[in-house]
């Protein structure tokens, strides 16, 4: 639970996402070094940052979010050489992936350096580390002069924030500063790849596609949770990305999905429920008379990813009790979109072509 008796004054500082003002970034960096909390944009989602070497500052992250203490944080670095103080060892696979995908939306789970407090890694002997591609995030880490531990800057259980106003809605009064650098471009979190075991395993699909990782490593990479086995990422046992409304995910061929959503919407409305449809822009005209929140276009999963979390928050703001969401093709970034929708969903309904 979040403690509501610890309200502090939160400053909102607007920064140019491409060329942030060095004086503003220097101030934000000093706040991090001094044990404060700074929320900042990354290319994936907004992060809630604290000095990763300061156990007390890291505990404040968990309190501000209401995050369970057994869910480890990702450590953000500003240069490859900063890895020396974060991980105990890397290896040729990690080196290859860093060269290809950093800075960018890929988190590598590697053996932890003893200097990283146990609170960051929830007591594990591994640490998740990434170098973000966003100029504001990179500048912040470099200005702070320390690695920054940062989960997504949402209240625990809420959709991740892709805009500063989402962070404000969830964390005002709980952090010193929110840096507003405009909307996050990827819109979904980084891919978490565990390199600490005998073979690489994707713990969370995200901004770097599984196909791209497989192409670089020339091997098939299993995705934890997709094979029906017990998930290994500590974060995966919690309900995630959940809007306040009940979400039903309808997946299958687009015509059959539209018919199923139309039918269910009528039944639900007859039962007095407030329904919102979460649809691709091509379906805009297909749900006449229903509250329709549009998110991305068919055949372009990156546009769905970019708008998904804001759309879930919009469904809540529209006062929906039930969200009927169209599925997307589980390929490329679409795989990460479906991973988040499945986790947010109370039920997944698979529809087929009529025979
Ligand atoms: O894109 C992102 O990754 C964003 C931005 C801010 O960088 N951060 C983010 O953090 O999504 P968070 O805390 O919301 O998600 C971190 C995920 C969790 O599922 C956590 O369990 C997993 O990474 N994780 C972190 N360290 C781990 C470790 N040592 N072993 C296994 N999983 C780990
Ligand atoms: Mg998160």
């Amino acid at each position: 639970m979040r403690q509501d008796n610890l309200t502090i004054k939160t400053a909102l500082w607007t920064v140019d996402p491409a060329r942030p003002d060095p004086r503003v970034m220097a101030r934000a960096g000093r706040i991090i070094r001094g044990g404060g909390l700074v929320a900042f944009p990354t290319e994936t989602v907004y992060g809630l940052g604290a000095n990763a070497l300061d156990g007390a500052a890291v505990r404040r992250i968990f309190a501000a979010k209401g995050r369970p203490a057994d869910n480890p944080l990702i450590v953000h670095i500003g240069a490859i050489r900063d890895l020396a103080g974060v991980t105990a060892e890397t290896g040729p696979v990690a080196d290859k992936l860093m060269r290809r995908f950093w800075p960018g939306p890929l988190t590598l789970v590697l053996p932890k350096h003893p200097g990283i407090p146990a609170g960051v890694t929830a007591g594990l002997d591994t640490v998740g580390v990434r170098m973000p591609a966003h100029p504001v995030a990179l500048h912040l880490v470099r200005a702070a002069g320390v690695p920054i531990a940062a989960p997504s800057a949402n209240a625990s259980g809420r959709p991740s924030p892709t805009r500063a106003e989402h962070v404000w809605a969830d964390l005002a009064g709980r952090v010193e500063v929110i840096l507003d650098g405009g909307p996050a471009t990827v819109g979904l979190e980084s891919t978490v790849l565990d390199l600490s075991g005998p073979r690489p395993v994707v713990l969370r699909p995200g901004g770097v596609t599984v196909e791209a990782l497989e192409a670089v490593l020339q091997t098939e990479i299993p995705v934890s949770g997709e094979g029906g086995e017990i998930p290994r990422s500590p974060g995966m046992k919690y309900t995630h990305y959940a809007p306040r409304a009940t979400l039903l995910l309808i997946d299958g061929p687009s015509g059959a999905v539209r018919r199923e959503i139309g039918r269910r919407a009528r039944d639900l409305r007859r039962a007095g429920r407030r329904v919102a449809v979460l649809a691709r822009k091509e379906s805009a005209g297909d749900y006449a008379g229903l509250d329709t929140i549009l998110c991305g276009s068919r055949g372009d999963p990156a546009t769905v990813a970019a708008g998904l979390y804001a759309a879930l928050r919009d469904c809540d703001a529209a006062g929906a009790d039930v969200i009927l969401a169209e599925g997307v093709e589980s390929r490329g970034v679409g795989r990460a979109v479906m991973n988040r929708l499945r986790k947010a969903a109370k039920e997944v309904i698979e529809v087929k072509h009529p025979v």
Side-chain angles (χ1 to χ4, degrees), residues 40 42 44-48 65 67 71-74 76 107 109-110 120-121 124 126-128 130 150-154 160 188-192 194 203-204 232-236 240-241:
F40 59 98
T42 83
T44 57
V45 300
Y46 274 71
L48 170 56
K65 279 182 64 93
R67 182 181 177 103
N71 192 4
L73 306 178
I74 294 170
H76 297 68
T107 295
V109 173
L110 292 163
V120 172
T121 60
L124 298 174
T126 57
V127 61
R130 88 172 182 106
S152 49
N154 52 288
S160 292
L188 292 180
E189 302 86 343
S190 62
T191 303
V192 179
D194 188 354
L203 299 181
R204 177 178 74 181
R232 289 202 307 152
S233 178
M236 291 180 60
H240 259 105
Y241 321 111

Side-chain angles (χ1 to χ4, degrees), residues 236-326:
M236 291 180 60
K237 64 177 183 283
Y238 298 105
T239 315
H240 259 105
Y241 321 111
R244 292 197 178 87
T246 300
L247 188 144
L248 303 180
L249 174 59
I250 325 289
D251 193 28
S254 54
V257 165
R258 283 201 297 277
R259 276 190 297 280
E260 182 68 16
I261 288 181
R263 195 178 63 70
R264 282 180 181 258
R266 278 192 302 280
D267 291 350
L268 285 161
R269 293 226 295 192
R270 220 170 282 137
R273 310 295 295 277
R274 296 178 65 166
V275 178
V277 179
L278 180 57
R280 304 295 84 72
K281 73 169 194 256
E282 289 78 4
S283 329
D286 294 326
Y287 302 112
L290 292 170
D291 271 336
T292 308
I293 310 277
L294 298 177
C295 168
S297 56
R298 206 163 284 143
D300 190 357
T303 61
V304 184
L308 180 67
Y309 287 142
L312 290 177
R313 284 175 184 256
D314 288 346
C315 290
D316 280 339
D321 325 302
V322 183
I323 302 169
L324 299 173
E326 294 182 338

